Amino acid sequence: MLAVYASAIDPDDPLRGLVVGERPEPEVPPGWTTVTVRAAALNHHDLWSLRGVGLSADRLPMILGCDAAGIDEDGNEVVVHAVLTDDAWRGDETLDPTRSLLSERYPGTLAQQVAVPRRNIVPKPEQLSFEHAACLPTAWLTAYRMLFTRGAVSPGMTVLVQGAGGGVATALIVLGSAAGVRVWVTSRSEHKRDQALALGAEQAFASGARLPERVDAVMETVGKATWAHSVRSLKPGGTLVVSGATSGDTPPAELTRVFFLQLSVVGSTMGTRDELQRLIRFCLERDIRPAIHATMALADARDGFASMLEGEQVGKIVFEP
Ligand SMILES: NC(=O)c1ccc[n+]([C@@H]2O[C@H](COP(=O)([O-])OP(=O)(O)OC[C@H]3O[C@@H](n4cnc5c(N)ncnc54)[C@H](OP(=O)(O)O)[C@@H]3O)[C@@H](O)[C@H]2O)c1
């Protein structure tokens, strides 16, 4: 089958190990099922994998991709939940210390077929296209958990989103504004700031700009480049939710501000299957859909990876096998 896979790890030149080519159809262990992929979305995770973060050379070749929507063996339209847990694990899947994401230990979704545990598929409502549904399980689910579970953000609060153009960032803008949150964003690019306003952000600022007032919460995925600004932008008692560190994970900690202003720094990763189902319902209820930067054939996936590496995208890049 056609698949997009990592054949080599290169921390400095991630596209060097990227191959679009033939791989065997997936093995299906007991309790697992095969999903025929109709759409699969690209995440920064796939670039991290090619750089060797979360994927070691002894697991190569590895099919990339965490996100997919497709058809299961019984002909049902489904969305794949990418968090794989131990069979014995009960409760919040993101807290299983042995958890992995598709494409870390088991082949991922950027292929014509993917095998997943049966418990990892949830129904796709027909109002949601495969293209939109494929954007939900990683970036959108992460944004949902950051805002509503880990950040405990409520309507009327002001929330700053750092780095407006990304998959998680655009999800934070759309979900937050649909929930009655006043969403402010930063971006390095004027074009992305304009796009963020069109998606529902109330105000958009250049990266690092002084804000008109301090905010209740900040959503961080950029890391080193924006961390100090995030800490300085918070009201006393405010919350900084972090789920990524695209620009580096060793910023100055700003500890004095953290303790003196009694800030909360909260980590967040992916989301549970229940949260994925609630996210799908929320999208239907509020009639919101993921912002899609581009949809392309799986065979052209290299162009999508290159675009993300350059940081060109506003929203998600989706592949159709
Ligand atoms: N913990 C989890 O479960 C989880 C889940 C999903 C994603 N993540 C992580 O979250 C991060 C974002 O993921 P994504 O898929 O949304 O990636 P993406 O679509 O590639 O977005 C990257 C964003 O980072 C910003 N950015 C990158 N470098 C920057 C820099 N030097 N200075 C300022 N901004 C910079 C860009 O903002 P502008 O160009 O607009 O300034 C862009 O919005 C990644 O590191 C990913 O691994 C973690």
Side-chain angles (χ1 to χ4, degrees):
M1 63 175 183
L2 185 66
V4 176
Y5 62 95
S7 67
I9 300 290
D10 191 328
D12 301 318
D13 179 11
L15 300 194
R16 190 177 67 78
L18 181 69
V19 181
V20 181
E22 289 296 314
R23 294 295 305 150
E25 287 182 3
E27 287 172 25
V28 188
W32 290 46
T33 185
T34 305
V35 173
T36 301
V37 178
R38 296 286 299 275
L42 179 63
N43 287 288
H44 216 94
H45 183 273
D46 302 308
L47 283 178
W48 287 126
S49 299
L50 289 162
R51 292 186 195 274
V53 178
L55 180 64
S56 50
D58 57 314
R59 294 191 188 140
L60 301 179
M62 176 62 82
I63 299 177
L64 298 167
C66 302
D67 283 344
I71 313 274
D72 74 5
E73 284 168 351
D74 302 320
N76 303 305
E77 298 191 351
V78 297
V79 184
V80 172
H81 181 223
V83 183
L84 305 178
T85 60
D86 188 273
D87 283 344
W89 181 260
R90 296 292 175 270
D92 185 329
E93 294 91 6
T94 65
L95 297 179
D96 177 359
T98 68
R99 70 161 198 270
S100 67
L101 299 187
L102 282 169
S103 78
E104 291 177 351
R105 254 177 252 150
Y106 296 95
T109 57
L110 299 186
Q112 289 175 303
Q113 292 196 335
V114 61
V116 292
R118 284 187 185 279
R119 61 178 178 273
N120 281 67
I121 53 176
V122 304
K124 180 188 86 60
E126 62 182 33
Q127 304 96 302
L128 203 57
S129 67
F130 285 107
E131 192 185 10
H132 284 135
C135 301
L136 300 181
T138 300
W140 273 64
L141 181 58
T142 300
Y144 181 94
R145 184 174 172 92
M146 288 175 79
L147 279 171
F148 304 124
T149 308
R150 303 292 289 150
V153 164
S154 44
M157 283 185 171
T158 305
V159 172
L160 178 68
V161 175
Q162 297 282 17
V168 179
T170 51
L172 288 163
I173 295 166
V174 176
L175 290 171
S177 50
V181 171
R182 184 162 74 152
V183 180
W184 291 356
V185 302
T186 68
S187 176
R188 299 165 294 176
S189 132
E190 189 178 353
H191 167 68
K192 291 186 190 179
R193 293 197 290 273
D194 290 344
Q195 296 283 307
L197 294 172
L199 288 173
E202 202 229 19
Q203 294 198 59
F205 305 92
S207 300
R210 192 185 175 87
L211 304 180
E213 61 187 68
R214 293 209 159 87
V215 300
D216 298 290
V218 180
M219 301 293 132
E220 251 298 348
T221 59
V222 179
K224 194 169 183 176
T226 52
W227 185 262
H229 182 255
S230 293
V231 174
R232 286 181 192 155
S233 299
L234 280 169
K235 282 179 186 167
T239 303
L240 203 173
V241 185
V242 55
S243 76
T246 309
S247 63
D249 68 354
T250 53
E254 305 283 347
L255 287 180
T256 305
R257 271 180 185 268
V258 171
F259 68 73
F260 194 68
L261 297 178
Q262 303 187 72
L263 307 178
S264 300
V265 176
V266 177
S268 195
T269 279
M270 299 295 284
T272 65
R273 187 173 58 248
D274 283 352
E275 285 169 327
L276 178 57
Q277 288 182 291
R278 275 187 267 142
L279 165 63
I280 291 171
R281 221 175 299 136
F282 187 65
C283 288
L284 296 187
E285 201 62 44
R286 295 298 161 106
D287 200 22
I288 52 175
R289 298 291 184 272
I292 293 182
H293 175 77
T295 301
M296 48 186 81
L298 188 66
D300 298 329
R302 179 169 279 275
D303 295 343
F305 276 77
S307 181
M308 178 172 274
L309 188 61
E310 292 301 315
E312 293 168 350
Q313 81 282 8
V314 179
K316 299 295 296 172
I317 295 170
V318 179
F319 303 126
E320 291 177 329

